[in-house]
Amino acid sequence: MGIEYPGLSEIISNIHKDKIKTVIYVTGGGSQAISWLLSVPGASNTILEASIPYSRKSFIEILGKEPKQYCSADAAMDLAKAAYRRAANLSDFYSSFVGIGASCALATGTPKKGPHRAFIALHGSTGSRVLRLDLAKEMRSRSQEEDIVSRALIQLLHSITANEVMRKNSPSSAIAAVAATVATAATATATATSYPPLSPP
């Protein structure tokens, strides 16, 4: 699937130009972000490895433990930290790199009892950041929710490039970007929050 959103290709191109390397682990949603990143020239400057640990066994194998809750901020951060360790193994000595993890519970073929939400975490040498997306149930298709999560992941990665390399005293531009990503003129039924904005590594 091509990139249909205005400006997204340019954002991804800027990510690739910055040359911050990353390993990405996503489960339950966010996989479209991987496809988009790879579809823009220069992806080898950014992507070291990307994986979708969809099964329970695969998830546990990457984390080295079973999470208390599969769709949670802690699970997403554990994925991001595992991705960071993997990036360290794959990177050259002087490279800059981060790990990204996403744990999601999105719309399925049958009505979901729990909430539709996603946690997207980023971990680097100077700290961590987690975004939470809450999506109104029965308002969007699975593909629409997937697009929202994937665009949020791209925006989070973009937020650490250029002049905002996880600066401790600077508010995250990712929150405003994600809020713009998920809101529509018809239904502003998705919210984005960050907690904590930055935490020690």
Side-chain angles (χ1 to χ4, degrees):
M1 181 183 296
I3 299 177
E4 302 175 356
Y5 302 102
L8 190 57
S9 291
E10 183 179 356
I11 288 173
I12 293 173
S13 181
N14 288 335
I15 290 171
H16 293 338
K17 289 176 183 176
D18 197 81
K19 298 183 179 180
I20 291 180
K21 305 287 189 181
T22 185
V23 169
I24 302 173
Y25 293 145
V26 299
T27 184
S31 60
Q32 186 62 52
I34 297 171
S35 177
W36 287 337
L37 286 165
L38 293 174
S39 72
V40 175
S44 61
N45 291 331
T46 304
I47 303 295
L48 291 167
E49 184 175 279
S51 180
I52 305 171
Y54 219 73
S55 72
R56 175 177 173 272
K57 185 176 180 179
S58 178
F59 199 118
I60 293 172
E61 186 174 287
I62 283 179
L63 295 190
K65 62 180 181 180
E66 183 164 11
K68 292 181 180 179
Q69 187 175 356
Y70 280 83
C71 183
S72 65
D74 287 343
M77 183 53 64
D78 284 343
L79 284 172
K81 289 181 177 180
Y84 177 79
R85 292 191 294 270
R86 179 63 173 161
N89 289 335
L90 297 175
S91 296
D92 296 329
F93 184 74
Y94 293 105
S95 296
S96 297
F97 53 88
V98 296
I100 295 177
S103 176
C104 315
L106 305 183
T108 60
T110 57
K112 186 184 292 292
K113 292 183 179 180
H116 295 195
R117 61 187 180 182
F119 298 88
I120 308 169
L122 184 148
H123 182 73
S125 61
T126 59
S128 305
R129 181 177 295 159
V130 182
L131 286 177
R132 171 175 173 161
L133 294 176
D134 292 292
L135 304 170
K137 296 176 70 172
E138 300 179 3
M139 292 295 296
R140 300 177 176 87
S141 67
R142 168 69 186 223
S143 62
Q144 289 172 326
E145 290 189 349
E146 169 67 32
D147 277 5
I148 288 172
V149 174
S150 294
R151 282 188 283 159
L153 191 155
I154 296 294
Q155 292 285 6
L156 183 59
L157 179 56
H158 185 240
S159 76
I160 65 157
T161 61
N163 294 322
E164 199 204 353
V165 186
M166 301 188 79
R167 292 179 295 180
K168 181 176 295 187
N169 296 319
S170 174
S172 171
S173 63
I175 303 304
V178 171
T181 293
V182 300
T184 66
T187 53
T189 53
T191 59
T193 57
S194 177
Y195 61 95
L198 193 68
S199 61

